[in-house]
Amino acid sequence: MRKILLLVLFPLCLWGRSAFWNENFHPLEASFWEKTTNMDPIEGFLTVAWLTNRESISFYASQWQSVITELQKQHFTSDSEKAERILLVLHERFLKRYRETANTVSGVFQTGEFNCVSSSLLYALSARALGFPVRLNIYTTHARPEVFVNNQWVEVEATTPLGYNFRQKTQAQQDFVRLTSFTDERVPRAVITNLIQWYALWYANEVYMQVRRRDISNAFQLALRAMELDNTIPFVRTNGIAAYQEYSSFLWNRGVTNDAMAVLEEGIRIFPESLILSNNYQFFVYNTILGMLKDGRFVEARQNIGKYRPILMEREELIASVYQELLYRLIQTNAYEEAWTTLQDVKKDFGERSWYKKVSGFGMDSLVKKLISEWKLYPKDENLVLQWYQDLTGIERDISLAEYYNSIAFAYKEAGLWQRAVEILQRGIQFLPTSSVLRKNLAALYIMRGNSSSSQREKLNWYKEALQYDKDNWEIDRAILVTYRSLVEEYVNKEDWKSVLEYAEEALTQYPNDKQLQYYRDYAKRKLGR
């Protein structure tokens, strides 16, 4: 047994037998369920413990009965001696080797291997057959029987022949820790007192064993049987929750999604307190809808979003992600108008929720990226981008809109369509007049045009245009100054002193302290007799 958690108790009888109960799970168990309370206990445990023929059940039951008969014939000086002798004889005859996974009573008879559950059950059945009141204590990682002797409950560590009156024997306590590696707890997590509960305990512990072996289908059926017997035992409930979770995941991973969700729905009805099951259910719903969207089944996906909206709303990141995926898939299939209409429907219902901004922003980013990839069609669907931009305000929207215009303009520039790129950036600046990205890139286009010009006058005009959009760029400012100097020198070489004076004075209005320009201005004046 491994660590378990105690949960709120909800009897299974409120729900009835599971819809997933397999009537053919075990060839001999029908007789067990027909007469559970009337069946001989040892035969009951042998029947449920994987034996597949009645001859084996009768054989092992007779072995056990012969031990009980021998003990009944013996004379004991006290009940305490008799209770202790039961444990010693069981270890002499049946309990040979401890193995943590040796969970079944039938396995004890077949191999001599036992664990705390199988040895405790065998002792409890034997003491009960010899007239002792017996109960089983369930700890976090262990099970141990108690026998009522001399008006008191005496704890028995069934995994060691020295385990009678365990609390009074230091050697037995040391043997227990050495043998099992378990911590010796003092206070049980649960006490089970009747035969039906003992059956439920065995089934529940076998659930754990089967899960360890990754035999998930068997584990699930065993859990259903434990809950059918007594669903109020914390260990039964804990392993029942684990079985519903494991089996639903088992089905899901094999593509049986409808059954996986149905299993979880039943589990949640039985264990409404289980966050594990409800979280798994949300995960299944979420991934089912995502699968529909990826397959292009938009109508079906929308229906399921409506159907499971309350489930998805329990975790807002899920409902947000579903709507994001829906918008993305619509946009990828060029259903831009439908995507916009969908966003407006979401806004109508959830516009005040914090996650709506995230959904709207994701939709705009998806639309922008898609239209950038189709840049040759610009300005087709630009109006939708602007609608989406105006849906909400914020710096993220500005960034997305700037990316739209900037990337499309860059694509046109790379295609050699310089003027078209300029027009697109100018269009973007109309909506984002302070966008440094658009302004700097437009300035860069003007500089590029200026650099390619052979005319100093044209260079000067392009550089000045660039500076209008990137006023703090000292490199552009420097390029203008250098171009002015080159232009003035060009006219000096032509001895066109009037033009030298004109451009030198024009330049000095912007660069009044430039010595070279001052020199050419004064030189031109002297040449002109001024």
Side-chain angles (χ1 to χ4, degrees):
M1 296 170 64
R2 279 291 180 246
K3 189 169 184 179
I4 59 175
L5 299 174
L6 297 183
L7 303 172
V8 183
L9 306 182
F10 291 84
L12 183 64
C13 59
L14 293 176
W15 310 105
R17 180 167 286 185
S18 168
F20 301 97
W21 184 285
N22 181 0
E23 297 288 352
N24 300 315
F25 174 63
H26 189 299
L28 299 182
E29 74 166 356
S31 61
F32 171 80
W33 292 105
E34 289 172 3
K35 50 181 180 179
T36 303
T37 55
N38 298 322
M39 178 175 278
D40 180 82
I42 191 65
E43 289 190 5
F45 277 102
L46 290 171
T47 298
V48 300
W50 305 111
L51 290 179
T52 57
N53 62 78
R54 298 196 181 279
E55 290 75 13
S56 296
I57 293 174
S58 299
F59 176 72
Y60 294 130
S62 65
Q63 283 189 327
W64 174 80
Q65 187 58 57
S66 66
V67 170
I68 298 301
T69 301
E70 289 176 13
L71 288 169
Q72 288 173 332
K73 293 178 179 178
Q74 293 179 21
H75 175 72
F76 299 100
T77 58
S78 67
D79 285 345
S80 181
E81 180 188 0
K82 182 179 179 181
E84 184 171 14
R85 182 62 184 159
I86 295 170
L87 183 61
L88 292 170
V89 170
L90 291 176
H91 274 271
E92 289 171 1
R93 298 287 294 274
F94 304 121
L95 303 172
K96 303 299 184 182
R97 292 174 302 280
Y98 176 84
R99 185 164 64 89
E100 185 185 346
T101 57
N103 194 53
T104 66
V105 174
S106 60
V108 172
F109 291 111
Q110 291 171 317
T111 67
E113 293 182 332
F114 62 90
N115 68 0
C116 62
V117 170
S118 55
S119 61
S120 294
L121 285 172
L122 190 59
Y123 181 86
L125 291 172
S126 302
R128 182 177 182 272
L130 291 165
F132 288 102
V134 189
R135 64 189 186 187
L136 292 174
N137 291 341
I138 307 303
Y139 298 92
T140 304
T141 57
H142 195 52
R144 189 177 289 139
E146 278 190 313
V147 60
F148 195 71
V149 177
N150 299 328
N151 295 318
Q152 63 178 345
W153 288 103
V154 177
E155 196 162 26
V156 179
E157 177 49 57
T159 59
T160 171
L162 303 178
Y164 178 76
N165 205 0
F166 172 72
R167 296 297 177 194
Q168 306 302 317
K169 295 179 180 178
T170 303
Q171 183 61 50
Q173 294 173 26
Q174 293 173 350
D175 288 347
F176 161 72
V177 174
R178 175 184 54 78
L179 185 68
T180 66
S181 300
F182 293 151
T183 301
D184 181 21
E185 297 179 67
R186 292 283 176 172
V187 180
R189 307 296 296 273
V191 178
I192 55 179
T193 58
N194 62 61
L195 185 62
I196 296 298
Q197 291 180 323
W198 294 358
Y199 285 129
L201 168 67
W202 178 83
Y203 272 120
N205 202 53
E206 188 65 8
V207 170
Y208 168 72
M209 299 301 174
Q210 294 297 319
V211 169
R212 281 185 56 172
R213 299 182 187 110
R214 304 313 298 165
D215 195 339
I216 305 303
S217 295
N218 275 351
F220 183 59
Q221 290 299 318
L222 290 163
L224 297 182
R225 283 146 178 79
M227 293 186 294
E228 177 82 2
L229 290 163
D230 193 328
N231 196 28
T232 65
I233 303 172
F235 183 49
V236 170
R237 294 184 66 78
T238 301
N239 280 13
I241 291 171
Y244 271 99
Q245 178 191 354
E246 290 284 350
Y247 188 56
S248 62
S249 297
F250 171 83
L251 294 173
W252 179 270
N253 291 333
R254 283 155 181 77
V256 193
T257 55
N258 289 337
D259 284 355
M261 293 182 68
V263 167
L264 275 180
E265 288 167 0
E266 181 177 281
I268 291 169
R269 287 197 301 273
I270 298 171
F271 304 107
E273 75 280 8
S274 172
L275 292 178
I276 293 175
L277 296 182
S278 60
N279 287 343
N280 261 23
Y281 190 63
Q282 292 166 4
F283 172 81
F284 285 179
V285 168
Y286 170 72
N287 280 282
T288 296
I289 294 173
L290 289 191
M292 294 174 182
L293 291 172
K294 290 175 182 177
D295 293 341
R297 294 146 55 198
F298 298 132
V299 173
E300 189 177 357
R302 287 179 181 277
Q303 291 172 346
N304 277 271
I305 291 172
K307 176 181 178 181
Y308 293 111
R309 182 182 287 182
I311 300 296
L312 295 169
M313 287 295 294
E314 292 176 11
R315 294 171 60 184
E316 291 193 343
E317 68 271 18
L318 295 186
I319 188 73
S321 181
V322 163
Y323 280 124
Q324 285 176 350
E325 187 69 20
L326 175 58
L327 293 176
Y328 174 78
R329 296 294 169 178
L330 289 171
I331 289 168
Q332 291 306 302
T333 56
N334 298 329
Y336 304 141
E337 291 287 354
E338 186 178 352
W340 172 251
T341 302
T342 297
L343 180 70
Q344 296 312 295
D345 291 341
V346 175
K347 185 176 185 178
K348 180 180 178 181
D349 293 336
F350 305 110
E352 300 302 318
R353 300 294 183 100
S354 60
W355 53 265
Y356 173 75
K357 182 178 180 181
K358 180 180 178 182
V359 171
S360 178
F362 179 87
M364 180 175 177
D365 289 342
S366 299
L367 179 62
V368 163
K369 287 181 172 61
K370 186 66 163 54
L371 294 179
I372 289 172
S373 71
E374 300 172 347
W375 59 272
K376 292 181 180 179
L377 300 179
Y378 176 86
K380 185 177 181 293
D381 297 311
E382 179 193 34
N383 63 314
L384 274 176
V385 175
L386 295 174
Q387 278 183 331
W388 224 297
Y389 171 69
Q390 294 162 1
D391 182 59
L392 291 172
T393 59
I395 189 170
E396 297 86 357
R397 296 304 170 94
D398 291 348
I399 292 172
S400 188
L401 187 62
E403 180 186 3
Y404 171 69
Y405 285 111
N406 187 63
S407 296
I408 292 177
F410 182 81
Y412 274 102
K413 173 257 179 187
E414 289 296 297
L417 300 172
W418 180 87
Q419 183 58 41
R420 185 63 167 149
V422 168
E423 292 170 358
I424 292 169
L425 287 173
Q426 289 174 335
R427 172 75 169 165
I429 291 171
Q430 289 181 18
F431 299 104
L432 300 168
T434 62
S435 171
S436 61
V437 171
L438 296 179
R439 298 182 72 87
K440 285 180 181 295
N441 284 349
L442 181 56
L445 285 179
Y446 285 131
I447 292 170
M448 185 186 308
R449 192 62 179 268
N451 290 342
S452 65
S453 175
S454 59
S455 165
Q456 296 297 327
R457 187 62 195 174
E458 285 186 3
K459 281 182 183 289
L460 189 61
N461 290 336
W462 290 123
Y463 291 157
K464 285 185 175 181
E465 192 72 30
L467 193 62
Q468 294 300 310
Y469 290 97
D470 196 359
K471 295 183 182 298
D472 297 325
N473 191 323
W474 66 269
E475 292 180 334
I476 301 176
D477 189 63
R478 177 68 180 172
I480 292 173
L481 174 59
V482 170
T483 305
Y484 264 124
R485 289 173 178 173
S486 298
L487 184 61
V488 168
E489 288 173 357
E490 179 182 316
Y491 284 111
V492 167
N493 293 333
K494 295 177 180 179
E495 297 185 357
D496 183 350
W497 305 113
K498 184 177 180 181
S499 295
V500 170
L501 181 60
E502 177 186 349
Y503 286 113
E505 288 183 336
E506 179 183 315
L508 285 168
T509 60
Q510 191 169 344
Y511 306 101
N513 298 320
D514 186 79
K515 300 299 182 184
Q516 187 174 345
L517 291 172
Q518 289 174 357
Y519 171 80
Y520 284 130
R521 178 198 61 188
D522 295 343
Y523 189 77
K525 283 182 177 181
R526 288 196 297 273
K527 287 290 186 178
L528 292 170
R530 295 183 185 180

